[in-house]
Amino acid sequence: MTLAFEVVGPGDWPGIWKIFRKVVAAGDTYPYLPDISEHEARVIWMKSGGREVTYVARRVDEIVGTAYLRANGLGLADHIANAGWMVDPRFQGHGIGRPFAEHVIEEARRLGYHGMQFNGVVATNTGAVALWESLGFSIVGTVPDAFRHSKGEMVPVHIMYRRL
Amino acid sequence: MTLAFEVVGPGDWPGIWKIFRKVVAAGDTYPYLPDISEHEARVIWMKSGGREVTYVARRVDEIVGTAYLRANGLGLADHIANAGWMVDPRFQGHGIGRPFAEHVIEEARRLGYHGMQFNGVVATNTGAVALWESLGFSIVGTVPDAFRHSKGEMVPVHIMYRRL
């Protein structure tokens, strides 16, 4: 089935929010509170355009994933990008994550970013770590106990980076 | 001469801005643009209270340094603090930085943070790196080329961390 990666459109928020709330409710990958309000989620996830962009992965008419791209720092550090992805749990393992990641990484390069950095890849999220490593990212550092996992313990997060 | 570390007061911004503009104009330690507007600087530096606090170092009646303390992440990561310090260049080397740093670290502990993380210590700022190491911080990772130094080259930044 055709998978399309697109810049978010005006009617896409409800489809994104359906995914967002499911992903954060698990409390095992993103630091957003599991009971985050729809308003707060929207402010966080929906970027304003330019070099800060929100994307959707669409299959037929359904949004099956979403991503954001932004500068990781400000001013003299704004040449490094940051990005995050969410795939609908119903479609995880369906081959969406990798091509969607590749698309947004390519977008970051096109928009002039020099590198991409993730600030808190939860260490227990080994699937994500493996995906990023296979896409050229390295763990450049690890912060102990930086994430309060839904399982009740504090787990380390990795800082991962790749040049673009 | 007596040095006092205090939570920022309503009339302290002009004294802070005098220091802020000088420090960022050098373009060698903070990512804020060297020509940042006073309004933007104020929004960035002045925290709202609670666990996000701005401090001043005062000697007699003069503000000689300033610092902020905030959560480094949101939600499930908000137990790690982040902080930044600026000392008036006229008073650098006068023994202000170390006790001021110790004061804010102690404040972070008192406010319940579990650790403190710096996200971008400019690698060429060796004095700062040495100070943080002497205060119990370790370099947990380094991101290459993440800071556009005023000298015209991109330099690495360190992520530094200590438990509280």
Side-chain angles (χ1 to χ4, degrees), chain A residues 79 81 105-106 108-109 112-116 137 161-164:
Chain A
H79 55 292
I105 291 166
E106 189 49 44
R109 188 182 287 116
Y113 290 109
H114 295 216
M116 184 175 284
F137 288 82
Y161 172 80
R162 69 159 283 180
R163 195 175 297 274
L164 291 178

Side-chain angles (χ1 to χ4, degrees), chain A residues 19-148:
Chain A
I19 297 171
F20 190 106
R21 67 192 308 178
K22 273 192 275 190
V23 168
V24 306
D28 56 358
T29 56
Y30 276 91
Y32 314 127
L33 288 177
D35 63 349
I36 189 171
S37 73
E38 181 172 353
H39 172 74
E40 199 181 347
R42 188 169 184 158
V43 168
I44 287 171
W45 200 260
M46 298 293 265
K47 302 303 181 195
S48 55
R51 295 174 79 208
E52 313 247 319
V53 189
T54 304
Y55 300 92
V56 293
R58 206 184 301 274
R59 209 156 69 167
V60 193
D61 278 344
E62 187 173 21
I63 293 176
V64 295
T66 181
Y68 73 82
L69 174 66
R70 67 174 182 101
N72 192 52
L74 43 72
L76 305 177
D78 72 358
H79 55 292
I80 308 293
N82 171 249
W85 287 260
M86 291 182 176
V87 172
D88 190 321
R90 291 183 299 138
F91 296 102
Q92 280 168 16
H94 290 223
I96 295 166
R98 175 180 297 271
F100 196 15
E102 287 171 336
H103 175 78
V104 176
I105 291 166
E106 189 49 44
E107 283 286 288
R109 188 182 287 116
R110 190 181 64 77
L111 290 166
Y113 290 109
H114 295 216
M116 184 175 284
Q117 180 177 336
F118 306 140
N119 304 299
V121 181
V122 179
T124 48
N125 190 4
T126 51
V129 174
L131 175 62
W132 301 133
E133 286 183 331
S134 78
L135 288 170
F137 288 82
S138 304
I139 295 175
V140 295
T142 300
V143 182
D145 294 345
F147 185 81
R148 300 195 302 276

